[in-house]
C-alpha cells in the first residue's frame, strides 16, 4: 500500500472528486496542505486577499456550472471564522463548497494555543458537516464523506479542520483505487407525480413557481418541456431566474415584495393553482402577508428537502424529490396525457398573462443628470446580450437590477439570495469568471457593497480574470435609507463627504476610479446617462485587452426609491416613480409596451 502524508492523501481525493480549482490564503497551520497541493499538481490555486473573499470565490465557482464544487482554504483561527459568512451564504442557497482549515496540533487544542479555535463547533450551524480530524488515518474517509454529503439531498457546504500534525502524519492510502461514494437524492414516485398532475388538470389558471432547486438539479430543459407540454405559465423565483428565457411566451414574470415585476405579481394573484418546484417560499417572494399570497389557490410543493414541505405553509400536496427526478416523471405523464388528448387548452390563460406583461411596465428611460438608476439598467440591457452572466448580492442595485434586467439562461443570474452579505459581489464574480472564461461576466454593485471587499479586485488583476463591474454610486446606504422611511428617520446611512484629494467628486466621497486603478484594474466614471452605452463598450474592450476587471461607475442622483412593498404584501407594491405610459418610456422591456 502506498504511504503518504494525510495532506497528500486529501489532495489526491480532491482531484479524484473532480476538483480543478481552489481559492485560499496560506498560513503556518495549513502550509503542509499547501505543500501537498504544490507537489501533487493538478489543482490550480487562486490566492485571495481576504479569506472571506476566498469563500465567496468558491461560491461563485460552484454556482457557474453544474457539477462544480468550489474549494476554499485557510489557516487556523481567524481564517476559519472569516469563512463563516461564505458557509452561511452557501448553505442558505443550497450551494456545495468545501472549506478546509488548518488547526493547532491535536495535543494543544485544549491549551488556548495560538489561533486554536473550535471552528468545527462554530461552523456546525451553517454547514452540512463540520469536523476537526483528530486521527490522520481518518482523513480519507472524512474527505470522501464530505463530497458525498455536499452532493446528496439538498446540496450544501462542508468544513474540514486539519490539525497541523494530522496533516504531516504518514498514512497508507491508495489513490488509484479510490472511488467517490454514490450520491443519494430522493425521487418522486409515479403515483406522487400523477397526483400532482391531477391538480394541474383540475386548474383553470395554473402556474409553476420554478426555484433554484431546478438549476441545482440541472433540470431547466425539463422544466421548459413540461411547461410547454401542459401550457402552464412559469414564475421563476430570484434563485430560479433563467430556468426559461425572459422572452419565452410562458414566462409570467417574477413575484415578490422587492425583486418582482408588476405583471408577475398580478399573474400570481390571478392564478388558482400553483406548483412549486425546487423553491422554498422565501419571504421576499411570498411577502409576510401569506393570506394574500395563498388566497384561495391550491398549492403543490416539490422539494428535495423533506423538512421544507410545510415549513412556511402547508401545501395541498407535497413531494420530497429532486427536481430533475420529479420533472422527468411530470414530462413522461404529460406526454401520455397529450397523446390521449386529455390536456386542457391553456391558450386563453397564457394570453392573459402575456397581456399583463405587455401593459404593466415600469419606466426606465430618464435623461436626468445626476442619472436615475433605472436608466443604467436600460443601457445594460442594450450593451450586454443574452449570453451575459450577471453577478450581484443585495441592495437597491440588486433589487432594481432584478426588476429591469433580462436573463435568458440558467446560471446567468448568480445572486446570493438568502444571506445577502455586502462585499459578496467582487469575489463571487472572480469565482464565476474563473469557472467560465468564455462567457461574458457582468457584476452589479452599489457603492457600499463595492467597498466591502474591493481589495479582491487585485486578485482579478494578478490572476488575469477579466469581467465588467457596473458600480452605481449614490453615496448612500440606499436600501437601508428606504427602509428607514417608514420609521421617519434618515440615520447613519449617509456616505457622502468631500474628498480632499478628489474635489471634483463633490460629496460623492470615495474616488473609486483611483482605488480601482491602484489595485491594478481599469475604471471609467460616467455622469451623463447618454454616455453609458459608450462606456460599457469601452469596458468590454479594456477587459479583453488587459485581462483584468473593469469598473464602470455611474454617478446617480442621491435619492431614488425603488419599487417595493413597505407592508410586505405582494398586492401592495409601492411605485415611487412614474410608470411607463408609452413605448419610449421602457425601450428595452421584454415586450413593447401596449397602450
Amino acid at each position: 500500500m502506498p504511504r503518504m502524508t494525510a495532506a497528500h492523501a486529501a489532495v489526491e481525493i480532491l482531484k479524484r472528486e473532480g476538483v480543478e480549482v481552489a481559492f485560499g490564503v496560506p498560513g503556518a497551520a495549513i502550509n503542509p496542505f499547501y505543500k501537498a497541493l504544490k507537489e501533487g499538481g493538478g489543482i490550480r490555486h487562486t490566492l485571495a486577499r481576504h479569506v472571506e473573499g476566498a469563500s465567496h470565490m468558491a461560491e461563485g465557482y460552484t454556482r457557474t456550472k453544474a457539477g462544480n464544487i468550489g474549494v476554499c482554504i485557510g489557516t487556523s483561527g481567524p481564517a476559519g471564522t472569516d469563512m463563516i459568512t461564505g458557509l452561511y451564504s452557501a448553505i442558505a442557497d443550497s450551494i456545495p463548497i468545501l472549506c478546509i482549515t488548518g488547526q493547532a496540533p491535536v495535543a494543544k487544542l485544549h491549551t488556548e494555543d495560538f489561533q486554536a479555535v473550535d471552528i468545527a463547533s462554530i461552523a456546525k450551524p451553517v454547514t452540512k458537516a463540520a469536523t476537526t480530524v483528530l486521527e490522520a488515518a481518518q482523513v480519507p474517509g472524512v474527505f470522501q464523506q464530505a463530497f458525498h454529503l455536499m452532493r446528496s439531498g439538498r446540496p450544501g457546504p462542508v468544513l474540514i479542520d486539519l490539525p497541523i500534525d494530522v496533516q504531516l502524519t504518514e498514512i497508507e492510502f491508495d489513490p488509484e483505487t479510490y472511488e467517490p461514494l454514490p450520491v443519494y437524492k430522493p425521487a418522486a414516485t409515479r403515483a406522487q407525480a400523477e397526483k400532482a398532475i391531477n391538480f394541474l388538470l383540475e386548474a383553470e389558471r395554473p402556474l409553476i413557481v420554478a426555484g433554484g432547486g431546478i438549476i441545482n438539479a440541472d433540470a431547466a430543459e425539463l422544466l421548459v418541456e413540461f411547461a410547454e407540454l401542459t401550457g402552464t405559465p412559469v414564475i421563476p423565483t430570484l434563485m430560479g431566474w433563467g430556468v426559461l428565457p425572459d422572452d419565452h411566451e410562458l414566462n409570467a414574470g417574477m413575484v415578490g415584495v422587492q425583486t418582482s415585476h408588476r405583471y408577475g405579481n398580478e399573474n400570481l394573484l390571478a392564478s388558482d393553482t400553483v406548483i412549486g418546484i425546487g423553491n422554498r417560499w422565501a419571504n421576499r417572494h411570498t411577502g409576510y402577508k401569506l393570506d394574500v399570497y395563498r388566497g384561495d389557490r391550491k398549492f403543490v410543493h416539490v422539494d428535495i428537502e423533506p423538512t421544507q414541505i410545510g415549513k412556511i405553509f402547508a401545501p395541498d400536496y407535497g413531494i420530497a424529490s429532486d427536481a430533475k427526478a420529479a420533472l422527468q416523471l411530470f414530462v413522461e405523464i404529460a406526454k401520455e396525457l397529450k397523446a390521449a388528448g386529455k390536456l386542457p387548452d391553456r391558450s386563453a390563460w397564457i394570453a392573459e398573462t402575456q397581456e399583463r406583461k405587455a401593459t404593466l411596465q415600469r419606466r426606465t428611460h430618464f435623461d436626468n443628470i445626476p442619472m436615475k438608476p433605472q436608466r443604467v439598467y436600460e443601457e445594460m440591457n442594450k450593451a450586454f446580450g443574452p449570453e451575459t452572466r450577471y453577478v450581484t448580492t443585495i441592495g437597491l442595485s440588486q433589487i432594481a437590477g432584478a426588476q429591469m434586467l433580462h436573463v435568458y439562461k440558467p446560471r446567468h443570474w448568480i445572486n446570493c439570495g438568502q444571506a445577502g452579505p455586502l462585499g459578496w459581489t467582487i469575489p463571487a464574480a472572480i469565482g464565476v469568471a474563473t469557472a467560465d472564461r468564455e462567457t461574458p461576466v457582468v457584476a452589479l454593485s452599489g457603492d457600499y457593497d463595492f467597498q466591502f471587499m474591493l481589495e479582491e479586485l487585485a486578485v482579478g488583476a494578478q490572476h488575469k480574470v477579466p469581467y465588467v463591474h457596473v458600480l452605481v454610486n449614490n453615496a448612500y446606504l440606499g436600501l437601508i435609507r428606504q427602509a428607514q422611511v417608514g420609521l421617519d428617520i434618515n440615520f447613519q446611512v449617509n456616505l457622502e463627504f468631500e474628498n480632499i484629494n478628489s474635489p471634483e467628486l463633490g460629496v460623492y466621497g470615495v474616488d473609486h476610479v483611483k482605488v480601482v486603478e491602484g489595485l491594478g484594474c481599469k475604471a471609467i466614471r460616467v455622469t451623463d446617462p447618454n454616455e453609458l452605452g459608450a462606456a460599457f463598450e469601452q469596458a468590454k474592450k479594456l477587459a479583453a485587452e488587459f485581462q483584468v476587471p473593469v469598473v464602470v461607475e455611474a454617478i446617480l442622483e442621491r435619492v431614488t426609491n425603488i419599487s417595493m412593498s413597505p407592508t410586505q404584501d405582494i398586492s401592495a407594491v409601492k411605485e415611487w416613480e412614474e410608470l411607463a405610459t408609452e413605448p419610449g418610456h421602457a425601450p428595452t422591456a421584454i415586450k413593447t409596451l401596449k397602450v
Side-chain angles (χ1 to χ4, degrees), residues 188-196 317 319 329 333:
T189 66
R190 171 82 186 200
Q192 290 172 326
E194 287 175 347
K195 184 159 185 172
Y317 188 60
I319 303 173
L329 281 175
I333 294 167

Side-chain angles (χ1 to χ4, degrees), residues 142-196:
V142 170
F143 272 80
Q144 186 181 41
Q145 183 188 42
F147 282 93
H148 170 72
L149 288 172
M150 285 188 287
R151 294 180 176 125
S152 294
R154 181 182 180 183
V158 169
L159 178 138
I160 299 176
D161 188 39
L162 298 173
I164 188 169
D165 53 335
V166 168
Q167 297 172 53
L168 289 166
T169 299
E170 282 199 349
I171 63 172
E172 293 183 340
F173 176 67
D174 183 8
E176 298 305 319
T177 57
Y178 176 87
E179 285 293 331
L181 291 173
V183 174
Y184 167 72
K185 293 183 184 295
T189 66
R190 171 82 186 200
Q192 290 172 326
E194 287 175 347
K195 184 159 185 172

Side-chain angles (χ1 to χ4, degrees), residues 487-558:
L487 298 172
D488 196 26
I489 60 171
N490 189 322
F491 183 64
Q492 292 297 304
V493 290
N494 300 11
L495 298 174
E496 78 269 17
F497 65 93
E498 294 185 3
N499 189 327
I500 59 172
N501 299 305
S502 303
E504 69 276 11
L505 292 176
V507 299
Y508 284 83
V510 175
D511 191 331
H512 294 110
V513 170
K514 286 181 180 177
V515 175
V516 169
E517 290 178 343
L519 290 166
C521 302
K522 291 288 187 179
I524 305 165
R525 181 178 294 120
V526 183
T527 57
D528 185 333
N530 294 308
E531 296 174 359
L532 280 169
F536 291 146
E537 292 306 315
Q538 184 184 0
K540 288 189 281 187
K541 291 176 183 176
L542 289 171
E545 179 182 356
F546 293 102
Q547 293 292 291
V548 297
V550 179
V551 176
V552 178
E553 179 186 35
I555 302 298
L556 304 185
E557 62 183 10
R558 295 299 314 289

Side-chain angles (χ1 to χ4, degrees), residues 344-412:
D345 180 4
R346 302 287 188 204
S347 55
W349 168 232
I350 294 168
E352 185 182 329
T353 64
Q354 294 303 299
E355 177 74 10
R356 294 188 182 95
K357 198 171 186 176
T359 55
L360 300 176
Q361 295 180 9
R362 296 184 173 108
R363 182 170 180 170
T364 60
H365 195 79
F366 298 92
D367 290 321
N368 305 48
I369 299 177
M371 68 185 85
K372 286 185 173 291
Q374 292 87 345
R375 178 66 181 274
V376 178
Y377 308 113
E378 176 185 308
E379 296 298 332
M380 288 174 70
N381 283 331
K382 292 178 184 176
F384 306 119
E387 297 300 317
T388 304
R389 291 191 197 272
Y390 288 111
V391 184
T392 188
T393 180
I394 196 172
L396 288 185
S397 55
Q398 175 248 19
I399 294 167
Q403 291 177 5
M404 296 166 195
L405 293 175
H406 307 317
V407 177
Y408 298 88
K409 296 182 178 182
R411 301 182 188 273
H412 280 231

Side-chain angles (χ1 to χ4, degrees), residues 4-250:
M4 62 188 69
T5 66
H8 275 88
V11 169
E12 291 302 318
I13 290 172
L14 293 181
K15 290 190 286 187
R16 282 158 177 78
E17 292 283 358
V19 174
E20 297 177 351
V21 175
F23 307 88
V25 179
I30 196 65
N31 272 343
F33 188 88
Y34 271 87
K35 176 181 170 68
L37 268 181
K38 182 179 187 297
E39 293 179 350
I43 296 177
R44 185 159 47 95
H45 183 271
T46 297
L47 176 63
R49 292 299 187 272
H50 190 296
V51 197
E52 181 187 339
S55 68
H56 298 325
M57 291 174 197
E59 282 190 81
Y61 184 85
T62 295
R63 293 171 190 248
T64 305
K65 287 185 180 179
N68 276 10
I69 291 186
V71 174
C72 50
I73 309 168
T75 191
S76 55
T81 56
D82 282 344
M83 286 192 273
I84 292 297
T85 301
L87 292 170
Y88 163 41
S89 169
I91 200 165
D93 288 348
S94 306
I95 303 300
I97 65 171
L98 178 61
C99 173
I100 302 169
T101 54
Q103 180 59 277
V106 172
K108 299 294 184 182
L109 292 179
H110 67 292
T111 65
E112 299 184 16
D113 209 41
F114 177 67
Q115 291 190 340
V117 67
D118 188 358
I119 190 63
S121 294
I122 294 170
K124 271 186 170 67
V126 290
T127 56
K128 294 188 76 174
T131 305
T132 298
V133 187
L134 302 179
E135 298 289 344
Q138 288 186 300
V139 166
V142 170
F143 272 80
Q144 186 181 41
Q145 183 188 42
F147 282 93
H148 170 72
L149 288 172
M150 285 188 287
R151 294 180 176 125
S152 294
R154 181 182 180 183
V158 169
L159 178 138
I160 299 176
D161 188 39
L162 298 173
I164 188 169
D165 53 335
V166 168
Q167 297 172 53
L168 289 166
T169 299
E170 282 199 349
I171 63 172
E172 293 183 340
F173 176 67
D174 183 8
E176 298 305 319
T177 57
Y178 176 87
E179 285 293 331
L181 291 173
V183 174
Y184 167 72
K185 293 183 184 295
T189 66
R190 171 82 186 200
Q192 290 172 326
E194 287 175 347
K195 184 159 185 172
I197 298 293
N198 282 337
F199 280 87
L200 190 65
L201 296 177
E202 293 170 1
E204 293 183 6
R205 300 178 305 281
L207 289 174
I208 297 168
V209 169
I214 294 173
I215 292 176
N216 283 349
D218 200 25
E221 289 184 5
L222 283 168
L223 181 279
V224 174
E225 185 177 9
F226 176 60
E228 290 176 345
L229 279 167
T230 58
T232 308
V234 176
I235 297 283
T237 68
L238 186 66
M239 299 304 295
W241 196 9
V243 288
L244 78 169
D246 274 4
D247 58 358
H248 194 287
E249 69 167 356
L250 292 175

